[in-house]
Amino acid sequence: MKALLIEEAPTYVHVRLNRPEVRNAIDQQMVDELHELCDTLEREPKILILSGCETEKGAIFASGADISQLRERRNIDALRGINSRIFRRIAALPMPVIAALDGFALGGGAELAFAADFRIATPRVRIGNPETGLGILAAAGGTWRLTELVGEPIAKQILLAGRILKAEEALAIHLVTEIHEPENLIEAAIELANKISTQDSLAVQLTKKVMHAPREAHPMVDELAQAILFESPEKYARMDAFLTKNKK
């Protein structure tokens, strides 16, 4: 892989976007490598941590889609959903996805962050969707994911008026849930991954699926997922351990 740097641990994978020369602009190669990553994580579920890198001008998560490629795309390319398909796939990974944001997360970079289950940040984060200023729209999930995350009034400020959020503003509206100093960001992401990994993996995976199910699927999907977990050996092991501990 060239656009991604991958570090594996027993329960998580840390992936750094690595195109510092173009401020981590998301190009076709990065998309292809993210698809390869998803192939692996769909077969062998692990928590995914996504982060950016340092550039000559400072830290960056992702500055958006690669404008040099985006400039040449036509209507058929829009209908292929190049970025939206990979972001949907990342959002649907079996185990949670943590976006560790530092510096700019703009355009497609913001949409990639929106596809994560958790977003944590540093004080120097700037997040937004300036697409309409370039004559396009946030078509890789930004229009609807952002609205779901922060509500329509703020989403319209970002999507229609080009508002860029600072870290404290993003924290206040719960777009990010934690702020850490840059030198502690990855450590905080790993700590969160470790907390998740103490839970039962199957229970976490099914809970994520149930949370993402459409409203009309409830409560049936909840009950079916619970029926699976009620027969899980891990359920018995964990509940037996709990009962034994409480008897002492």
Side-chain angles (χ1 to χ4, degrees):
M1 296 215 177
K2 296 181 180 179
L4 305 178
L5 296 178
I6 299 177
E7 302 170 22
E8 285 208 54
T11 58
Y12 67 85
V13 176
H14 177 199
V15 174
R16 297 179 187 270
L17 309 182
N18 188 47
R19 300 189 72 221
E21 69 283 0
V22 288
R23 296 166 62 79
N24 276 349
I26 301 170
D27 68 345
Q28 186 63 57
Q29 177 160 355
M30 185 180 286
V31 168
D32 291 343
E33 291 182 11
L34 286 169
H35 275 296
E36 287 184 46
L37 173 70
C38 288
D39 285 340
T40 300
L41 293 178
E42 287 162 355
R43 292 193 309 270
E44 304 169 16
K46 286 186 176 183
I47 299 159
L48 172 60
I49 298 171
L50 288 169
S51 69
C53 66
E54 289 288 338
T55 74
E56 291 181 355
K57 296 184 178 180
I60 190 84
F61 179 70
S63 60
D66 191 312
I67 300 299
S68 64
Q69 291 187 2
L70 203 58
R71 167 67 177 76
E72 302 307 316
R73 288 180 183 171
R74 313 295 293 180
N75 56 8
I76 191 65
D77 298 304
L79 294 173
R80 287 171 57 205
I82 295 169
N83 284 3
S84 64
R85 282 189 299 125
I86 185 56
F87 295 166
R88 285 200 308 272
R89 197 172 179 188
I90 288 170
L93 284 171
M95 290 295 283
V97 179
I98 302 167
L101 308 175
D102 193 9
F104 286 101
L106 299 176
E111 290 178 299
L112 174 56
F114 301 157
D117 299 289
F118 300 89
R119 283 162 298 282
I120 64 175
T122 73
R124 56 192 184 187
V125 152
R126 301 292 182 269
I127 186 166
N129 290 92
E131 281 90 342
T132 52
L134 293 170
I136 57 174
L137 61 87
T143 54
W144 57 275
R145 278 200 184 97
L146 182 60
T147 303
E148 289 178 351
L149 289 168
V150 303
E152 187 175 302
I154 293 175
K156 283 182 174 177
Q157 291 180 13
I158 295 167
L159 295 166
L160 304 181
R163 179 180 173 187
I164 304 297
L165 297 178
K166 296 180 180 179
E168 290 293 342
E169 294 173 316
L171 181 66
I173 60 173
H174 307 297
L175 185 57
V176 302
T177 54
E178 302 172 21
I179 295 179
H180 300 274
E181 290 304 315
E183 62 271 20
N184 299 326
L185 180 65
I186 300 307
E187 180 182 348
I190 291 171
E191 182 179 349
L192 177 55
N194 288 336
K195 287 180 182 178
I196 297 168
S197 68
T198 65
Q199 312 301 305
D200 172 34
S201 176
L202 181 59
V204 169
Q205 292 179 51
L206 289 179
T207 299
K208 179 174 173 176
K209 285 183 179 295
V210 169
M211 290 180 73
H212 287 184
R215 178 65 181 84
E216 59 271 17
H218 302 282
M220 181 179 292
V221 68
D222 308 65
E223 293 161 357
L224 290 172
Q226 191 75 299
I228 293 170
L229 291 171
F230 272 9
E231 300 298 324
S232 165
E234 187 68 14
K235 168 215 163 183
Y236 289 100
R238 285 174 176 260
M239 290 191 177
D240 286 346
F242 176 86
L243 293 170
T244 300
K245 181 179 178 181
N246 278 7
K247 287 179 181 178
K248 293 180 179 179

